[in-house]
């Protein structure tokens, strides 16, 4: 156990909220920094101990603007953890409301990662700017879209009506973010209150509809189709469509929705590579997704621009279960393919009994 006055022990006392013990030991302490350069004020703010925060500030005159190794201040800690009483105290003592930690995150941004409207209101009422962006180009509204609390989004829109007009440095909008993270209520609000362009693309060419599909959020995908005129055949920067991205992530229900409900051709090819969804699933080693695609009529013999079948890609990735399943599923050219693949795989043997031998026998 650390001796009395040791910084680690002091931090533990603060963490546990033991004010009386802290008052007894603090006078003999030599230095106050804890892990990552935290001061005792950081610890008190992070754990929500207002009495200790007050004591350290008023009895010991500790600096409420002290920074740790990540340039976090006590206000960052209190805001990120949703400790409203500590936030109010620090703001009342004159803490800088838009101070920056590493990556240019403000206390308001950190508060927006949690569903704590009261803390966000306190910060804004003390002058926090919702339009500031961090190093990735996200403002507070963008961050709140990831948490998905519609009340917080409505509040930010009420105090800063243009806050929705934002993109990250890779051109992702709050609608992309809410769709990716399955925040249905947030998506409903964004479609109602904001004017995002249908099928807006980030730098990779991904639309909010693609984000919803590749993450398996079919309810959001349906909403984007009905309320935002999303295009189901939009292509990303590599020519892949939503069906292909769903195959990459193994979203079988999304694949069924696209093919069975929306009539997407199960064998549609990515524009630049001619890869089908089956190719993508095999490349990632998704046996269940391969089964789903075949049950929907996917052509097991489809070739890409390099004349490769799904079996080639399964073998190249050394996905044994996929390779075995495809070999058993009626390949017309399996004899020619297996000869070529056996040679390739023998060169990449992963044990004395090579992957090629195991796959082909």
């Amino acid at each position: 156990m650390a001796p009395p006055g040791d910084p680690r022990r002091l931090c533990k006392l603060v963490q546990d909220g033991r004010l009386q013990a802290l008052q007894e030991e603090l006078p003999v302490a030599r230095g106050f920094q804890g892990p990552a350069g935290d001061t005792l004020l950081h610890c008190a703010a992070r754990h929500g101990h207002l009495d200790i925060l007050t004591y350290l500030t008023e009895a010991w005159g500790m600096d409420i603007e002290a920074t740790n190794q990540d340039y976090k201040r006590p206000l960052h800690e209190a805001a990120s953890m949703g400790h409203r009483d500590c936030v109010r105290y620090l703001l009342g003592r004159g803490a800088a409301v838009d101070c920056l930690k590493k990556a240019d995150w403000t206390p308001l941004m950190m508060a927006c990662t949690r569903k704590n409207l009261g803390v966000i209101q306190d910060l804004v009422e003390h002058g926090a700017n919702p339009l500031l962006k961090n190093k990735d180009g996200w403002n507070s509204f963008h961050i709140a879209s990831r948490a998905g609390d519609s009340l917080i989004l409505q509040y930010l829109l009420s105090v800063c009506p243009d806050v929705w007009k934002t993109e990250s440095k890779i051109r992702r909008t709050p609608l992309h973010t809410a769709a990716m993270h399955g925040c249905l209520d947030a998506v409903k609000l964004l479609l109602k209150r904001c004017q995002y362009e249908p099928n807006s693309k980030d730098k990779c060419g991904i639309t909010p509809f693609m984000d919803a599909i590749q993450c398996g959020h079919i309810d959001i995908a349906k909403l984007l189709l009905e309320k935002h005129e999303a295009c189901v055949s939009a292509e990303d920067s590599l020519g892949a469509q939503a069906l292909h991205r769903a195959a990459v992530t193994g979203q079988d229900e999304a694949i069924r929705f696209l093919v069975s409900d929306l009539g997407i051709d199960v064998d549609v090819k990515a524009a630049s590579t001619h890869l089908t969804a089956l190719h993508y699933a095999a490349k990632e080693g998704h046996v269940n997704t391969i089964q789903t695609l075949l049950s929907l009529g996917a052509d097991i013999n489809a070739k890409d621009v390099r004349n490769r079948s799904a079996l080639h890609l399964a073998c190249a990735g050394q996905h044994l279960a996929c390779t075995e399943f495809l070999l058993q599923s009626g390949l017309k050219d399996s004899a020619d393919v297996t000869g070529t693949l056996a040679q390739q795989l023998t060169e990449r043997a992963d044990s004395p009994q090579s992957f090629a031998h195991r796959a082909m026998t």
Side-chain angles (χ1 to χ4, degrees), residues 21-154:
L22 180 69
Q23 290 171 328
E24 294 172 356
E25 296 194 18
L26 199 54
V28 298
R30 294 293 183 269
F32 303 112
Q33 287 196 335
D38 288 340
T39 68
L40 295 181
L41 285 180
H42 286 88
C43 298
R46 182 183 307 127
H47 295 283
H49 298 308
L50 178 60
D51 55 347
I52 296 179
L53 192 65
T54 303
Y55 170 71
L56 294 173
T57 302
E58 298 180 11
W60 284 85
M62 291 190 180
D63 183 7
I64 61 171
E65 303 292 12
T67 60
N68 64 12
Q69 292 174 6
D70 289 329
Y71 305 111
K72 279 186 181 179
R73 305 187 193 194
L75 185 59
H76 284 105
E77 298 285 5
S80 68
M81 300 305 293
H83 299 309
R84 190 175 188 184
D85 53 354
C86 293
V87 167
R88 285 178 162 179
Y89 176 78
L90 290 166
L91 291 172
R93 298 282 299 186
V97 71
D98 280 332
C99 53
L100 302 179
K101 78 170 191 71
K102 272 189 178 178
D104 296 338
W105 280 66
T106 66
L108 179 60
M109 292 175 191
M110 300 189 73
C112 285
T113 65
R114 294 180 177 265
K115 299 179 179 181
N116 195 321
L117 178 58
V119 171
I120 292 168
Q121 289 173 324
D122 289 336
L123 290 165
V124 171
E125 288 167 7
H126 279 79
N129 185 355
L131 294 175
L132 294 178
K133 294 185 176 184
N134 64 20
K135 75 172 185 64
D136 295 315
W138 288 36
N139 68 14
S140 295
F141 188 79
H142 206 151
I143 293 165
S145 296
R146 177 171 180 166
D149 190 314
S150 57
L151 291 177
I152 290 174
L153 294 173
Q154 289 181 60

Side-chain angles (χ1 to χ4, degrees), residues 281-336:
K283 184 178 180 180
E284 299 298 325
H286 299 316
V287 176
N288 290 340
T289 303
I290 291 172
Q291 293 173 322
T292 295
L293 290 164
L294 292 178
S295 74
L296 293 169
D299 180 6
I300 198 171
N301 296 294
K303 303 293 178 60
D304 67 1
V305 292
R306 296 169 60 185
N307 202 37
R308 298 175 301 176
S309 68
L311 179 61
H312 283 89
L313 298 187
C315 289
Q318 297 203 29
H319 301 303
L320 179 60
C322 284
T323 301
E324 292 174 334
F325 181 80
L326 288 165
L327 284 170
Q328 296 166 7
S329 297
L331 283 163
K332 291 180 181 179
D333 58 352
S334 59
D336 293 337

Side-chain angles (χ1 to χ4, degrees), residues 212-213 215-223 252-255 257 261:
I213 285 293
C215 294
H217 304 308
I218 299 174
D219 52 353
I220 291 177
K222 290 179 179 178
L223 184 65
D252 296 352
E253 290 304 313
I255 289 171
F257 168 67
D261 294 6

Side-chain angles (χ1 to χ4, degrees), residues 17-18 36 50 97 165 172 177 195 217 232 299-300 348:
R18 298 174 60 189
L50 178 60
V97 71
K165 298 178 182 179
R172 291 182 62 77
T177 301
Q195 289 78 53
H217 304 308
V232 298
D299 180 6
I300 198 171
R348 298 179 60 182

